[in-house]
Amino acid sequence: MRELTKAEEQVMLILWELKEAIVKEVIDKMDPPKPAYNTVSTVIRVLENKGFVNHKAIGNTHIYFPTISEEQYKHFAFDKVMNNYFENSYESLVSFLVKEKKLDISQLDEIIAIAEQLKNKK
């Protein structure tokens, strides 16, 4: 799997939400200023070439749908962040969250409880 560009990610978020759509429906879900039809169509074709999207043809219309789930991409993106920025250390990640995002004690307790639940399931 490859990392998505900002434009590709924007289109994928819409396709994951809609499940399937024509180019116009994707554009309709975008915030203003809306990109040109040809721009969105090109991004979708790039996503298709990368294996993130496929289409079904009905007459002259192409209906696009994701072939990679949002969950699959989340795992890929999270693993990349963990590897590149936290050296695969959950301690480093939690330390960053506590220091930089100013987690309060109740939020930290929730993280610890989740970690303990996951540890007990193994």
Side-chain angles (χ1 to χ4, degrees):
M1 190 176 303
R2 293 166 38 189
E3 190 170 3
L4 296 171
T5 66
K6 186 176 179 179
E8 291 167 349
E9 186 174 289
Q10 182 182 20
V11 169
M12 285 305 300
L13 287 168
I14 292 167
L15 285 174
W16 284 322
E17 178 187 340
L18 297 177
K19 309 291 188 245
E20 63 179 30
I22 60 175
V23 174
K24 183 186 177 322
E25 291 170 325
V26 172
I27 295 168
D28 288 345
K29 292 290 273 180
M30 293 178 158
D31 294 330
K34 300 199 185 270
Y37 182 95
N38 287 344
T39 301
V40 176
S41 180
T42 299
V43 170
I44 291 174
R45 281 196 308 279
V46 168
L47 286 166
E48 197 166 17
N49 289 335
K50 286 184 172 182
F52 281 87
V53 170
N54 204 343
H55 74 272
K56 54 187 173 188
I58 299 178
N60 291 335
T61 303
H62 286 155
I63 300 172
Y64 297 95
F65 55 90
T67 57
I68 303 292
S69 73
E70 185 174 7
E71 194 69 22
Q72 288 172 305
Y73 190 74
K74 280 181 190 178
H75 283 286
F76 165 78
F78 182 76
D79 289 347
K80 187 173 192 284
V81 167
M82 281 298 294
N83 185 45
N84 290 345
Y85 297 100
F86 298 104
E87 299 171 352
N88 284 324
S89 166
Y90 289 97
E91 292 86 0
S92 294
L93 172 65
V94 172
S95 176
F96 171 81
L97 291 171
V98 170
K99 291 176 187 171
E100 298 297 321
K101 299 301 177 185
K102 309 223 184 314
L103 294 184
D104 64 33
I105 197 72
S106 67
Q107 292 170 313
L108 191 55
D109 285 342
E110 285 180 44
I111 291 172
I112 292 168
I114 291 168
E116 287 176 357
Q117 285 176 340
L118 292 172
K119 188 169 89 174
N120 291 335
K121 286 183 181 180
K122 289 185 178 182

